[in-house]
Amino acid sequence: MLLGELDHSVSQLKGIGPQSASQLAGLGIISVADLLLHRPRDYEDRSTTVPLRDWTKAPVNTVVEVVAHDFFGHRRGRTLKVYVQDETGTATLLCFNRNFLQNVLKVGEKFRLYGNFTYRYGELQSSSFETEKLFEQSSSFGRILPIYPLTGKLNQGLMRRAVRDALRRYGRYVDSELPESLRRHFGYLPKSEAIRQVHFPDSFEQLDLALQGLSFEELLYFQIVVARRAYRRDESRRAPQLLPYRLQRRCIEALPFKLTADQKQVIEEIKKDLDGPHPMGRLLQGDVGSGKTLTALLSALPVIEAGYQVAFLAPTELLAKQHAERAAGFLEQLGVRLAFLSGHVKNAVRAPLLTALAEGRVDLIIGTHALFTEDVRFQNLRYVIIDEQHKFGVEQRGRLIEKGRNPDLLLMTATPIPRTLTLTFFGDLQVSSIRSMPPGRKPVVTHLARQDNEEKVYRAVRKELERGHQAYFVYPRISGDGESDLKDAETMALRLRETIFSDFSLALIHSKRPEEEKERIMHDFAQGKIQVLVSTSVVEVGVDVANATCMVVEQAERFGLAALHQLRGRVGRSSLQSYVFLVYSRELSEEGKRRLMVMKRSSDGFEISEEDLKLRGPGELGGTRQSGSLGLRFTDLNDDLELLQRARKEAFRIVKADPALALSQHQNLSRVLECCAPFPEELFAGG
Ligand code: ADP
Ligand code: MG
């Protein structure tokens, strides 16, 4: 049986009542499989003895005899104190709220003891310790114990008991998903054994081996999917066709500036693909403002000139509109027939637009999710460009791509993706990068400020406003609940308007406001009629107002680094010096501080994304969110590059050797492997 098929409810496991079951559900643990896939966040080594004498080196793990009892504190709230000793010393156990231990830790009896000690009031003390009778069959001593991520009232003991019960009842039925010969070749454990070792390792070496095998398995799965995609693209050959480049050249010549070297290079790379015998699959990454959008539009011109259609997809209406307006500004004069489509384009306009599109009278359509709709048809869609690709699901992207016949595909992201992630999720794509910014931009100056110093920040902003510049204020949420002291956009808009910036015009924008209003506000902001724009992270993507030179992000620690980086990209869009103030709350964790420091130190999106990955894990980077249940549970993308490359090599070999496998639509690796059984074992002979 496959691990994923252990769908029995956790509530039938030992010690799991309705309450724990619902708390487990809060962690996403509903079935036995979920529980077994719940990876410990750490381990406690109770396999080696640490006598009392060595309490500074590691948690004490020893056998003690109870010497005496005592109490301290008031009569009601008095606390039991137990004196114990082992061969190396004596210590006291402070039993806060555990006076019942009086009847457990009896004088003269021996116990196993595990705990953290400190030296106070002339004695060695512990208030956080565990004990167990010496002659009982031990489940938690003398071994390495898992420490699970918990929530609510769940505790380690309960989790361990439940996992142990799950392993005892079902563990041995879990089949390996790696082909047997491949598993042997690399020396990985059978899956049932690996799962057991992850929870209750016999040693740290075994744990490591188990994790490697499990990680390899999930990476191999990903790589097979990737390899299949690459194979399919490779298979869909077309007659190479040299596209005309007059239009593109004319357009580039008409630009009021020169393209950067990186932009030229990317346009060349895309040109090669477009002329080539396989549809393009390319990821274009580059910081906000580096000129990706322009580059992408330019790259599309040969396709248009040759008489094909191009679709340009953006994640928000605001952004799509802005792209469309800008594209219109320099493309319409060249005779490119442009259209804009969003959910708000209604019947009277929509119907004729769709007809024109289906009849090939539109060359370039720029739009939002509305482009996915079924009644959107193309005459000959040849090139699909997707901005902020991570905002779209894989299937969504697929729906647009299917509207053409193997169209060329360009995915864009302003959140550069760390290399391991690129390989994992986009391993079938070529990658282009724009690393340099257009000339003349001054790097944005980033200041960190504690919430109590916000007045200073407001004063600095005022100076900028008085110079005729504009400012953004960004908050983590739209409105308050009247309880928490989290700042929100609505309350702050009111406060800023009435007190702090009452002599400037200010507007509030967020996702719940009607589309027309948002547009009007953005338009007025762009025109300079509004000086202060208060918002949530809706301004995150794309909005382009060169005169806006400062941004204040309050409760900055509530945003991910990638989001902050995107936000910061809204300013510094001209030769004016720009400023970002990241205002953080009083209670900022160490990690929070470190994250904000990264923002202060670096303005390189590539570096920020690597740091983000280190500090936070892959999270939503690179569209991993959409892979949902495929989530990588055993892989640490920070240091598994080697393993990843191993999986990649094997996957490409498997797919290349068996195209049937490559074309299979099955979504699960073992199913994929099953469906072409008998699986040609020689594929895995190694080498
Ligand atoms: P991105 O999509 O990467 O955020 P855009 O393509 O929107 O970047 O470009 C940001 C701004 O910079 C736009 O106003 C664009 O016209 C301008 N721009 C793009 N390339 C250059 C360049 N080589 N020199 C000067 N300005 C440029
Ligand atoms: Mg952009």
Side-chain angles (χ1 to χ4, degrees):
M1 181 182 256
L2 301 177
L3 182 55
E5 290 166 0
L6 293 176
D7 51 7
H8 326 279
S9 161
V10 281
S11 54
Q12 40 160 296
L13 295 174
K14 225 184 231 172
I16 305 294
Q19 201 197 356
S20 340
S22 88
Q23 295 197 320
L24 283 172
L27 288 173
I29 302 174
I30 304 204
S31 68
V32 167
D34 299 332
L35 183 69
L36 290 179
L37 286 168
H38 190 55
R39 182 178 166 186
R41 63 173 168 77
D42 205 351
Y43 298 87
E44 227 168 65
D45 185 4
R46 298 197 186 172
S47 59
T48 45
T49 302
V50 179
L52 284 170
R53 186 184 51 207
D54 291 343
W55 64 276
T56 52
K57 293 182 192 148
V60 164
N61 185 23
T62 184
V63 173
V64 292
E65 183 179 335
V66 178
V67 184
H69 288 171
D70 192 7
F71 286 92
F72 65 100
H74 302 292
R75 216 157 24 107
R76 276 278 171 77
R78 64 184 197 151
T79 295
L80 172 67
K81 199 168 162 182
V82 177
Y83 291 85
V84 297
Q85 67 176 35
D86 72 358
E87 268 136 41
T88 67
T90 60
T92 56
L93 308 176
L94 308 179
C95 309
F96 293 103
N97 300 320
R98 292 201 274 175
N99 284 354
F100 63 88
L101 287 175
Q102 189 178 5
N103 303 320
V104 181
L105 303 174
K106 293 192 186 131
V107 173
E109 288 188 1
K110 287 198 169 177
F111 294 88
R112 288 194 181 86
L113 170 70
Y114 181 90
N116 287 297
F117 282 78
T118 50
Y119 204 76
R120 291 172 114 194
Y121 309 114
E123 54 189 23
L124 202 52
Q125 297 187 336
S126 177
S127 52
S128 71
F129 58 86
E130 284 174 47
T131 56
E132 196 178 76
K133 249 193 168 144
L134 186 55
F135 41 82
E136 269 173 12
Q137 169 74 313
S138 178
S139 56
S140 52
F141 277 80
R143 52 163 63 240
I144 298 168
L145 284 184
I147 303 174
Y148 294 100
L150 296 177
T151 173
K153 291 216 168 85
L154 296 174
N155 62 54
Q156 299 298 345
L158 179 139
M159 289 295 284
R160 287 172 192 156
R161 227 169 305 133
V163 171
R164 198 174 280 121
D165 194 38
L167 284 171
R168 191 180 53 78
R169 288 208 230 170
Y170 305 105
R172 78 195 99 120
Y173 302 117
V174 174
D175 290 333
S176 288
E177 298 186 37
L178 284 180
E180 190 59 13
S181 53
L182 196 56
R183 180 182 77 69
R184 290 236 170 100
H185 175 72
F186 290 116
Y188 296 133
L189 301 171
K191 181 141 179 180
S192 58
E193 181 58 15
I195 287 287
R196 197 179 69 75
Q197 293 289 345
V198 162
H199 292 285
F200 296 101
D202 290 337
S203 67
F204 285 107
E205 290 74 43
Q206 287 293 303
L207 172 63
D208 211 47
L209 188 60
L211 285 175
Q212 273 204 38
L214 293 169
S215 172
F216 180 77
E217 178 192 300
E218 55 192 18
L219 288 173
L220 182 71
Y221 171 69
F222 262 95
Q223 291 306 311
I224 284 190
V225 175
V226 163
R228 269 163 41 194
R229 252 185 278 154
Y231 179 85
R232 252 183 255 136
R233 193 169 291 123
D234 243 36
E235 278 305 280
S236 39
R237 290 191 155 271
R238 61 184 178 199
Q241 176 191 4
L242 292 186
L243 298 175
Y245 282 84
R246 277 184 309 270
L247 190 57
Q248 189 183 68
R249 223 172 295 129
R250 264 171 54 210
C251 190
I252 292 175
E253 275 160 19
L255 288 175
F257 45 74
K258 283 212 170 73
L259 294 179
T260 63
D262 285 359
Q263 284 175 313
K264 284 190 202 148
Q265 158 102 21
V266 171
I267 288 176
E268 270 314 296
E269 286 167 354
I270 294 176
K271 174 173 161 28
K272 275 213 194 86
D273 286 356
L274 294 178
D275 287 345
H278 306 291
M280 172 170 78
R282 189 169 280 279
L283 179 71
L284 172 56
Q285 46 180 4
D287 260 327
V288 184
S290 60
K292 292 182 300 300
T293 309
L294 179 72
T295 306
L297 287 171
L298 290 173
S299 78
L301 294 180
V303 175
I304 291 170
E305 191 177 351
Y308 298 106
Q309 290 173 302
V310 177
F312 190 122
L313 178 66
T316 65
E317 167 122 21
L318 213 64
L319 197 54
K321 201 66 174 267
Q322 188 177 287
H323 285 333
E325 273 162 15
R326 275 216 254 140
F330 69 103
L331 294 183
E332 276 182 345
Q333 64 197 27
L334 297 171
V336 174
R337 293 166 299 176
L338 213 134
F340 170 78
L341 184 66
S342 80
H344 289 89
V345 174
K346 293 285 186 250
N347 288 343
V349 181
R350 185 182 159 91
L353 191 159
L354 292 187
T355 313
L357 188 66
E359 290 174 357
R361 285 182 283 115
V362 169
D363 302 314
L364 168 63
I365 186 160
I366 299 181
T368 61
H369 297 76
L371 293 179
F372 302 140
T373 346
E374 209 165 311
D375 57 353
V376 174
R377 291 195 199 91
F378 292 79
Q379 192 194 45
N380 51 14
L381 175 63
R382 161 74 197 268
Y383 186 13
V384 172
I385 301 169
I386 302 185
D387 194 14
E388 304 296 336
Q389 60 80 24
H390 60 285
K391 303 269 178 187
F392 300 95
V394 174
E395 302 99 83
Q396 287 184 319
R397 297 198 298 241
R399 253 186 281 157
L400 181 53
I401 293 165
E402 277 161 20
K403 291 181 190 287
R405 247 176 275 119
N406 293 313
D408 295 287
L409 175 66
L410 183 71
L411 301 177
M412 297 203 282
T413 179
T415 313
I417 302 166
R419 182 163 159 68
T420 45
L421 287 182
T422 335
L423 273 180
T424 310
F425 300 100
F426 303 102
D428 60 319
L429 300 183
Q430 310 294 314
V431 179
S432 288
S433 302
I434 303 184
R435 280 182 171 263
S436 54
M437 288 301 221
R441 302 264 171 85
K442 285 207 180 68
V444 177
V445 173
T446 301
H447 294 291
L448 305 187
R450 230 163 78 106
Q451 200 176 314
D452 310 288
N453 295 329
E454 62 207 8
E455 296 302 330
K456 259 195 220 157
V457 171
Y458 298 162
R459 248 176 283 140
V461 172
R462 168 168 285 279
K463 259 199 210 143
E464 279 300 298
L465 295 176
E466 282 167 354
R467 283 189 191 132
H469 302 157
Q470 291 159 283
Y472 296 99
F473 277 77
V474 182
Y475 296 90
R477 25 174 226 169
I478 299 177
S479 50
D481 51 15
E483 280 179 29
S484 69
D485 60 349
L486 267 188
K487 290 190 178 177
D488 62 86
E490 273 176 356
T491 316
M492 285 305 293
L494 214 60
R495 194 172 139 216
L496 294 172
R497 176 183 290 135
E498 284 177 0
T499 61
I500 301 157
F501 297 119
S502 56
D503 45 341
F504 294 100
S505 83
L506 178 151
L508 168 68
I509 190 170
H510 57 67
S511 58
K512 294 225 175 103
R513 301 200 70 168
E515 210 49 57
E516 302 79 60
E517 256 177 59
K518 277 197 275 187
E519 258 166 49
R520 186 180 47 73
I521 293 172
M522 279 321 296
H523 184 258
D524 288 355
F525 188 64
Q527 300 278 304
K529 287 187 205 147
I530 292 169
Q531 273 104 39
V532 180
L533 188 64
V534 179
S535 77
T536 54
S537 58
V538 288
V539 291
E540 181 187 330
V541 271
V543 182
D544 191 13
V545 179
N547 188 49
T549 55
C550 45
M551 169 176 287
V552 179
V553 184
E554 300 211 56
Q555 256 125 20
E557 72 276 10
R558 307 212 139 233
F559 295 88
L561 284 191
L564 285 177
H565 183 62
Q566 291 260 6
L567 281 169
R568 184 165 56 186
R570 298 303 111 225
V571 297
R573 296 182 78 92
S574 67
S575 57
L576 300 170
Q577 177 61 58
S578 290
Y579 306 89
V580 165
F581 301 91
L582 302 177
V583 182
Y584 56 87
S585 345
R586 287 169 206 113
E587 314 85 24
L588 183 61
S589 69
E590 273 309 305
E591 196 216 299
K593 224 170 275 171
R594 245 175 301 159
R595 287 179 352 117
L596 293 185
M597 283 310 291
V598 172
M599 293 305 296
K600 186 175 166 64
R601 195 182 63 229
S602 173
S603 58
D604 178 354
F606 289 84
E607 183 184 341
I608 290 173
S609 74
E610 297 282 351
E611 288 292 331
D612 202 22
L613 177 65
K614 270 187 218 148
L615 292 173
R616 196 178 52 127
E620 294 182 7
L621 283 171
T624 53
R625 201 175 25 163
Q626 291 102 34
S627 35
S629 58
L630 300 182
L632 295 167
R633 290 164 187 273
F634 299 104
T635 302
D636 176 1
L637 287 168
N638 274 315
D639 56 27
D640 282 351
L641 186 56
E642 223 170 287
L643 200 62
L644 178 59
Q645 269 154 349
R646 175 186 280 187
R648 188 176 165 75
K649 195 170 141 213
E650 293 303 327
F652 276 75
R653 202 156 52 119
I654 291 169
V655 169
K656 193 166 165 224
D658 190 346
L661 175 64
L663 297 170
S664 121
Q665 291 297 318
H666 290 279
Q667 282 300 302
N668 180 297
L669 171 59
S670 47
R671 292 280 154 67
V672 171
L673 298 178
E674 242 172 52
C675 78
C676 32
F679 206 81
E681 288 285 328
E682 69 274 18
L683 282 181
F684 303 117

